[in-house]
Amino acid sequence: MSLAGFQHALCELIASPALCRRLAASATSAASAAGEAGEDGGVLGRYALTEREERRLLAVARQRGMATNCTLYRANRLSPLRSFLPRTCALLGPRLRAELDAYLEVHRETDLEFRREIEAFGRSLLGRWEAGEIPIPALPEVVAFELAAHELQSLPRRDVLARLEAESGAGPSRLHPLVRVLRFRYDPAALLPPLVAGEPLPADLPEGEFFLLLDARSDEMTSSALPLALGRALSGLGGPGGPPLLRQDEADLAAAGLVVRG
Amino acid sequence: MITLETSAPRPAEPSAPLTRLGVGVLYNPALPDFLRSDLDALDYLEVIPEMFWTDRGLGGGEGADRFREIEATVEVLDLVAAERPVIAHSVGLSIGSADLFDRERIEQIARWHARYRFPWHSDHLSFLRMGGPDGHEIHAGLAVQVPYDEEVLALIAGRIRAVQERVATPFLLENNVYYVDLPEQEMSEPEFLNRLTRETGCGLLLDVHNVYTNALNHGFDPHAFVDQLDLGTVVEVHVAGGNELAGMYTDSHAGPCPEPVWELLGRVVAGAPRLAGVTFEFHASYYPLLGPEGIRRQLDRAREVWAAAG
């Protein structure tokens, strides 16, 4: 079905200003643009197109409206990232544009679901940080914080609570499913507020081991600092190598609703 | 599973005038407080249903397995639905996609219609989803125009009938905004819209800001465009504002409507006997600019224009 090929080709152009420019600058005839080409291959060559569809694509690649389409495409993909990863975007600062370019170059496929886009961008940043390509020491913990916050806000709270009630009582202790414990190398009380306020980070961010509790058990999600020992115990709960909870601590945490059985 | 539409008998689409609802607003994430405090300003609320659920996508199961409701936003919707009619204005059917037609999404709209009793529902005359490898889909990133050709008309008409058969309330399609001209189209946009509505019984959701935007960018007279339309098919009108981006005027829903959009609205309502609703759209980021009073002013202006046109 050539209409399908036309739609795929048009969308590939919208997603890639560079491809648009290449097509616009290519040979003036549709045939030479669509045919087998040199190193970069024919821009339209891999699509089954009618001659009219080739002419249409060549024509639109040369129109200024394609710059608008490309900008809107980029803005539509950036918008949820800015909305749901605002601290990450602020921390990246002027690097955001380049990081977005790198991400979009690899992740051409998108969908209507913000959550997948946000997680994919977060993973992309973490991968590039681990590879030493983003020299921002605090990046992983800010990304992890915002991904966890978004995940908690996306959970079906009523369903989770109903399931928890049905399962309660059996099994080992574990964190409440609407709670997350995050470990920080930089004090989150000093790191996170400036990123929200759009202010520069202090040059002397306190370093060490810090824990933050994200709590979505009630309508409004809250975050609070945890004492070191409690943070270590909760973050290792249920996992290998984590320090065990003392019986009294476990009882206190269960009474506070942070730890559940099941 | 990606399926192609099958031919189906033409359904009986109600052609009688719908109950005139009045003036409403399209829901956005900035609105919950306004809806709680100023619901009296609205005759109805229009919602993009995709904002109220997450979707695991094609192959992601059926019903609640695939579409998981977002509790906090559905609670707001339920509050409003107890007081006002709710209209569904979908963005995800992608009715113009050549290689993808998502029947499970239609079933989801049918389920929501059973719950909220939409007086009508609508989607866009465009495509934004495409078939990808291994049953996955590719998303275009924005609603992309379709060529106004016979082949596309037949494709979309078949899909409209499939929607009409499953969702027992009138279905409307919205005219699209476009930033590039596709050469060698077989029909003009008004001709395409007139034939589509005539051949399927589908109603037209005429977005007059889209007409205004296209007219500015492509150099035609928006009033002459409206005069070429069969306004008897118009059930709903969208009004909005916009701004410039990359050298074009865009349908960005940027705050209040420009004056020419009100003039165009007046021309449309004067000739649209089945018109049942005028919806003001704005992007959530413009809520601080508009505020509750600004939204009320836009809604009041829409009422005035409608009343003046008789």
Side-chain angles (χ1 to χ4, degrees):
Chain A
M1 198 178 198
S2 72
L3 181 61
F6 172 76
Q7 292 184 341
H8 281 259
L10 179 55
C11 289
E12 191 170 1
L13 292 173
I14 289 171
S16 172
L19 201 65
C20 249
R21 284 193 294 271
R22 215 170 84 209
L23 180 61
S26 69
T28 50
S29 78
S32 58
E36 291 301 316
E39 281 182 8
D40 57 5
V43 174
L44 305 180
R46 63 181 171 282
Y47 299 104
L49 299 169
T50 64
E51 288 184 6
R52 182 174 67 176
E53 287 166 340
E54 289 173 6
R55 288 194 296 275
R56 282 177 173 169
L57 291 166
L58 273 172
V60 301
R62 295 183 180 123
Q63 292 176 30
R64 68 185 173 131
M66 273 309 271
T68 306
N69 277 335
C70 293
T71 306
L72 285 172
Y73 169 87
R74 190 181 166 89
N76 288 343
R77 293 196 67 179
L78 178 60
S79 177
L81 303 177
R82 275 202 184 277
S83 296
F84 295 107
L85 303 176
R87 298 166 189 83
T88 302
C89 291
L91 185 61
L92 286 168
R95 292 190 65 94
L96 176 61
R97 185 180 177 143
E99 292 306 324
L100 188 67
D101 284 341
Y103 169 72
L104 293 180
E105 187 59 34
V106 176
H107 294 83
R108 285 281 174 85
E109 292 185 11
T110 179
D111 60 28
L112 291 167
E113 289 301 306
F114 291 166
R115 182 172 171 181
R116 286 192 279 268
E117 185 88 284
I118 291 158
E119 287 173 354
F121 185 59
R123 280 196 305 273
S124 163
L125 290 176
L126 293 176
R128 286 172 54 76
W129 183 88
E130 280 167 17
E133 294 180 60
I134 310 178
I136 302 176
L139 185 73
E141 50 210 67
V142 174
V143 171
F145 168 76
E146 292 200 302
L147 289 181
H150 183 62
E151 184 221 347
L152 279 178
Q153 283 169 328
S154 307
L155 287 174
R157 241 182 85 239
R158 244 177 281 156
D159 288 356
V160 170
L161 292 173
R163 212 176 312 130
L164 187 64
E165 195 171 328
E167 292 170 352
S168 67
S173 292
R174 60 184 172 98
L175 265 186
H176 189 288
L178 295 173
V179 161
R180 298 288 179 275
V181 174
L182 300 161
R183 184 175 180 275
F184 283 74
R185 175 180 153 195
Y186 297 98
D187 184 354
L191 171 66
L192 298 176
L195 295 174
V196 176
E199 295 164 359
L201 286 178
D204 53 347
L205 274 174
E207 264 190 87
E209 187 179 20
F210 305 90
F211 289 92
L212 196 70
L213 178 79
L214 272 178
D215 187 348
R217 289 174 298 161
S218 58
D219 287 347
E220 200 93 339
M221 189 168 70
T222 60
S223 65
S224 53
L226 286 174
L228 187 60
L230 183 59
R232 282 177 176 165
L234 284 176
S235 65
L237 200 62
L245 279 177
L246 299 174
R247 187 176 294 274
Q248 186 54 48
D249 287 346
E250 186 174 343
D252 291 346
L253 290 167
L258 291 174
V259 167
V260 295
R261 282 186 176 277
Chain B
M1 184 69 188
I2 297 169
T3 56
L4 295 174
E5 79 291 345
T6 54
S7 61
R10 183 177 165 181
E13 179 77 357
S15 57
L18 289 154
T19 301
R20 177 170 157 167
L21 294 185
V23 171
V25 67
L26 179 65
Y27 178 87
N28 69 52
L31 271 176
D33 287 345
F34 176 83
L35 295 173
R36 289 188 182 97
S37 61
D38 292 66
L39 192 58
D40 63 296
L42 304 179
D43 299 313
Y44 64 90
L45 178 69
E46 185 160 281
V47 299
I48 294 171
E50 288 87 350
M51 292 177 76
F52 295 83
W53 63 58
T54 60
D55 177 4
R56 297 174 72 194
L58 288 169
E62 294 182 359
D65 284 343
R66 173 173 165 185
F67 300 98
R68 298 201 174 157
E69 292 181 6
I70 303 167
E71 284 169 12
T73 51
V74 171
E75 279 172 12
V76 176
L77 178 58
D78 287 343
L79 281 174
V80 174
E83 303 287 332
R84 292 287 187 278
V86 171
I87 310 289
H89 179 52
S90 305
V91 297
L93 183 57
S94 195
I95 203 160
S97 296
D99 61 358
L100 178 152
F101 189 46
D102 186 354
R103 291 178 184 276
E104 181 52 33
R105 187 174 283 266
I106 301 173
E107 295 302 322
Q108 174 70 358
I109 293 294
R111 283 188 285 271
W112 267 44
H113 172 56
R115 183 159 140 193
Y116 292 108
R117 310 307 305 171
F118 305 129
W120 65 84
H121 74 121
S122 59
D123 208 306
H124 298 75
L125 178 58
S126 58
F127 75 94
L128 77 167
R129 302 164 64 201
M130 297 167 291
D134 307 323
H136 291 94
E137 60 183 91
I138 298 169
H139 194 269
L142 68 159
V144 184
Q145 71 209 79
V146 292
Y148 299 130
D149 295 342
E150 293 286 349
E151 175 192 16
V152 178
L153 185 75
L155 175 88
I156 294 177
R159 271 102 183 256
I160 290 172
R161 292 182 188 110
V163 173
Q164 289 167 331
E165 283 175 356
R166 286 301 303 133
V167 187
T169 193
F171 179 55
L172 324 180
L173 273 184
E174 178 183 338
N175 57 304
N176 204 32
V177 68
Y178 52 89
Y179 300 104
V180 291
D181 278 314
L182 296 178
E184 301 179 61
Q185 295 185 92
E186 294 166 13
M187 281 169 264
S188 67
E189 186 180 5
E191 191 181 351
F192 189 91
L193 294 171
N194 289 343
R195 282 194 51 193
L196 197 63
T197 51
R198 189 166 64 238
E199 291 176 18
T200 65
C202 167
L204 181 60
L205 193 177
L206 184 61
D207 187 320
V208 292
H209 188 257
N210 284 354
V211 174
Y212 172 69
T213 302
N214 292 337
L216 272 184
N217 290 329
H218 303 286
F220 62 81
D221 176 1
H223 292 269
F225 178 96
V226 164
D227 290 345
Q228 292 172 63
L229 291 172
D230 175 4
L231 294 179
T233 66
V234 175
V235 173
E236 184 186 346
V237 170
H238 275 178
V239 292
N243 55 13
E244 290 212 5
L245 176 73
M248 308 286 273
Y249 181 81
T250 62
D251 177 44
S252 56
H253 300 175
C257 304
E259 200 55 34
V261 167
W262 295 122
E263 290 166 15
L264 210 49
L265 174 66
R267 196 176 191 99
V268 171
V269 297
R274 290 181 65 205
L275 182 64
V278 176
T279 308
F280 171 55
E281 305 177 287
F282 70 95
H283 191 274
S285 60
Y286 287 87
Y287 185 73
L289 171 76
L290 284 164
E293 284 310 308
I295 298 170
R296 280 181 174 273
R297 274 196 294 276
Q298 296 297 298
L299 299 174
D300 288 345
R301 182 75 188 273
R303 286 191 181 94
E304 284 165 19
V305 171
W306 199 347

